[in-house]
Amino acid sequence: MERRRIAVTPPNVPGFRAVPFTGVIYVMAEASRRGYAYGHPDWCNLGQGMPETGPLPGSPERVLTAPISPADQEYAPVAGIPELRSAVADLYNHLYRRGKESQYTADNVCICGGGRLGLTRTVAALGEINLGHFLPDYTAYEELLTIFRPFTAIPILLEGTDGYRFDMGKLEREILGRGLSAVLLSNPSNPTGRTIRGLELASWVEAARRLECTLLMDEFYSHYAWSATAEEDGLVSAARYVNDVDEDPVVIFDGLTKNWRYPGWRTTWVVGPRSVIEAVTSSGSFLDGGGSRPLQRAAIPLLDPAAVRAETAAIRGAFLRKRRIMVDGLREAGMRLDVEPEGTFYVWADLAGLPEPLADGMDFLQAALDEKVICVPGEFFDINPGKRRSGRPSRFRTYARFSFGPEEDAVAEGVRRIVEMVKRAR
C-alpha cells in the first residue's frame, strides 16, 4: 500500500501560512471522507480521545438541561464566574489538601473554554525560557510549542524499553543541563498511559520546588488512574504534594472534558499560584475574552465531592472492563505494548511485528478505515517541531494509539475487526 503523506496546503490568500491539523482531527477528516459521521452504527471510533458520555452504572444522573438566568446572557468574567472558581478550589482542597495549612481559593483558579484554551492561555503567558516537553505526548502540544515565540521548546525523549519512565536523576539533569524553567507533561500520559503517582509524583513536585522549575501538569485523565492506591481512590494529582499553593511552581490543567465526561461543555480550569492565574487571565483577555457563563453555572453542582467520587467509581468499573478487552485483543492481533496503560483510556501499541503494510502507523490507519475502524498513527505524538521542519521520519511511525473511550460494544467490535484484518494479512 502506498504510504499516505500528511500535506497541508497554505490558503490561496496572501499573508497566511499552512496550519497543520492535530493528529485526531486529521484521522477524523480521513474517516469522514470514507463516510464516517458521529453516531454512525457501522463505525468503531477508537481514535478520538472522547469518553462515552451516557449514564454508567453507579454514576450520578447526567445533566441534560442547563437553565439560563437573565444575568447569564452577559459576558462571563475572563477568569470565570466566582462561584465556579470557588467550587474548583474547594474540590481540590477536599480531595487532596485536607489537613494542610495552605489551601486553594478562587484566586488560584481560572476557568477556560476548553483544555486547549487553558494550555494556550498559559503558554502565551510564558517568558523567554527553555520549556521542556516529553516525546511522545499529546498531539495538540506541537503547534502550541511553535505559535508563541518567546520560549524555546526542548524535547525530552522517553524510551519504550524503560516503560516511558523518567527517574529523578534524569529529570534533574534535564532541568539543570538544559536550563529548563518549565516542563510540560500529561499525567496520566496521553498516549502511553504511563502514570506518575504516589512518592514518585511527590518527588517531581519537590524537585520543581528545589530547582525552581515550573511543572505544567495536564491532568485531564487524573480520574482514570488504574494503578492508584486505596488512599488515592483512583484520583491522581500533583495538588496532593504542593506545600504552598501560592509559592510552589505547580500549574494544573483539568476540566469537565474527560473526568466528568462532558467534552461538549468546553468548561475547564487552570489551578496554580495566584500570580500565575493573574497572568493566565490577562492572556485570556486578548485570546478569547472568557467562556460560557450558563455552562459555568451549570457545572457547579458537578463538583460536589460525593458526586465526583461516585463518577470516578463508575468510570473505574466500566473502563477497566474495556481496558482488558482492548489490551487482550491488540496483543492477540500481534501488537506489542511497551507498557499496559496505568491511566487514561488509551493503549499505545507497537505495530512493528505485524505483516506489511500494517507495520506502519499511517498505512495501518488506512487499512483500519477500510474496516470502518479509526485509530491515530503514532507519529502524530512525536511533538517535535524540529523534527517536523527537518522532514526526518518519526521514531514512532510503527506505533498507533487506540482509544477504549467509546461504549463497550463498540470497543469489542473494533478490536474484533482489527484482529480479523491482521489475520487476513498474514
Side-chain angles (χ1 to χ4, degrees):
M1 181 185 298
E2 181 182 356
R3 178 177 173 77
R4 291 185 61 87
R5 298 292 179 182
I6 305 168
V8 180
T9 304
N12 61 348
V13 175
F16 287 86
R17 67 183 177 97
V19 180
F21 286 124
T22 65
V24 172
I25 301 304
Y26 172 83
V27 301
M28 297 310 294
E30 286 288 289
S32 295
R33 291 196 313 108
R34 307 284 195 95
Y36 171 79
Y38 285 100
H40 196 300
D42 294 340
W43 282 80
C44 300
N45 183 1
L46 309 185
Q48 196 164 26
M50 184 171 67
E52 56 177 299
T53 57
L56 295 176
S59 69
E61 187 174 350
R62 303 300 285 170
V63 177
L64 300 178
T65 59
I68 301 176
S69 71
D72 288 335
Q73 310 288 6
E74 302 170 0
Y75 287 124
V78 177
I81 64 172
E83 302 94 320
L84 181 56
R85 296 173 69 191
S86 293
V88 171
D90 290 346
L91 178 65
Y92 276 75
N93 293 333
H94 178 88
L95 294 179
Y96 308 116
R97 307 197 56 76
R98 281 183 286 181
K100 295 182 183 290
E101 181 177 348
S102 180
Q103 299 281 296
Y104 288 115
T105 70
D107 291 336
N108 298 108
V109 179
C110 181
I111 307 300
C112 302
R116 290 179 183 86
L117 189 52
L119 288 162
T120 302
R121 282 191 183 190
T122 303
V123 168
L126 293 177
E128 296 181 358
I129 65 166
N130 284 353
L131 170 66
H133 62 93
F134 293 96
L135 305 179
D137 215 325
Y138 177 38
T139 64
Y141 291 167
E142 183 166 4
E143 193 64 12
L144 195 68
L145 296 172
T146 60
I147 196 168
F148 297 106
R149 300 301 180 187
F151 64 86
T152 300
I154 308 290
I156 302 171
L157 186 62
L158 299 177
E159 294 290 348
T161 53
D162 295 332
Y164 303 102
R165 286 171 171 77
F166 203 70
D167 63 35
M168 277 301 98
K170 292 179 181 178
L171 179 63
E172 292 196 19
R173 283 195 297 273
E174 291 289 339
I175 292 174
L176 296 175
R178 299 181 185 271
L180 303 182
S181 294
V183 175
L184 169 66
L185 70 155
S186 57
N187 185 51
S189 169
N190 172 10
T192 68
R194 166 81 172 110
T195 303
I196 307 168
R197 45 165 292 275
L199 293 177
E200 183 183 14
L201 183 52
S203 67
W204 278 64
V205 174
E206 189 279 329
R209 188 165 46 234
R210 174 167 46 85
L211 301 174
E212 298 182 348
C213 178
T214 298
L215 294 180
L216 302 175
M217 304 290 292
D218 177 341
E219 295 188 348
F220 273 86
Y221 298 92
S222 56
H223 299 191
Y224 296 80
W226 312 127
S227 58
T229 64
E231 176 189 1
E232 292 166 334
D233 201 20
L235 301 160
V236 171
S237 177
R240 191 186 300 274
Y241 305 105
V242 167
N243 286 345
D244 189 317
V245 300
D246 286 318
E247 297 293 333
D248 283 8
V250 176
V251 180
I252 294 167
F253 307 91
D254 198 357
L256 300 186
T257 308
K258 304 298 194 302
N259 292 328
W260 280 258
R261 301 186 298 115
Y262 288 107
W265 286 38
R266 314 306 295 151
T267 301
T268 63
W269 47 81
V270 183
V271 176
R274 66 180 65 195
S275 60
V276 171
I277 298 305
E278 290 171 358
V280 171
T281 301
S282 183
S283 66
S285 69
F286 66 81
L287 281 171
D288 63 278
S292 164
R293 191 168 191 137
L295 287 178
Q296 288 184 41
R297 192 171 305 284
I300 295 171
L302 297 173
L303 273 65
D304 173 75
V308 171
R309 292 189 182 280
E311 176 65 21
T312 303
I315 285 173
R316 190 173 184 82
F319 281 70
L320 274 173
R321 290 194 306 274
K322 296 189 290 181
R323 174 180 178 269
R324 180 48 51 196
I325 290 169
M326 178 163 282
V327 166
D328 290 347
L330 297 184
R331 281 182 168 149
E332 181 185 351
M335 301 179 198
R336 184 182 63 82
L337 309 185
D338 293 325
V339 59
E340 283 197 15
E342 302 164 343
T344 73
F345 44 76
Y346 303 118
V347 178
W348 177 246
D350 187 353
L351 315 174
L354 301 185
E356 294 293 342
L358 300 180
D360 177 280
M362 292 297 289
D363 289 338
F364 185 96
L365 167 65
Q366 296 301 322
L369 291 176
D370 289 341
E371 307 295 324
K372 293 185 170 55
V373 177
I374 307 172
C375 64
V376 183
E379 63 189 72
F380 284 110
F381 300 90
D382 197 348
I383 54 166
N384 187 344
K387 182 272 301 176
R388 187 173 74 188
R389 289 190 292 269
S390 73
R392 294 189 182 95
S394 170
R395 70 186 298 270
F396 302 122
R397 65 181 295 173
T398 67
Y399 283 80
R401 189 198 74 178
F402 300 87
S403 170
F404 53 93
E407 288 80 0
E408 186 171 323
D409 288 348
V411 172
E413 176 60 19
V415 169
R416 186 195 67 78
R417 294 181 192 179
I418 289 170
V419 171
E420 291 301 316
M421 178 182 73
V422 174
K423 285 180 179 178
R424 291 196 302 271
R426 290 196 185 279

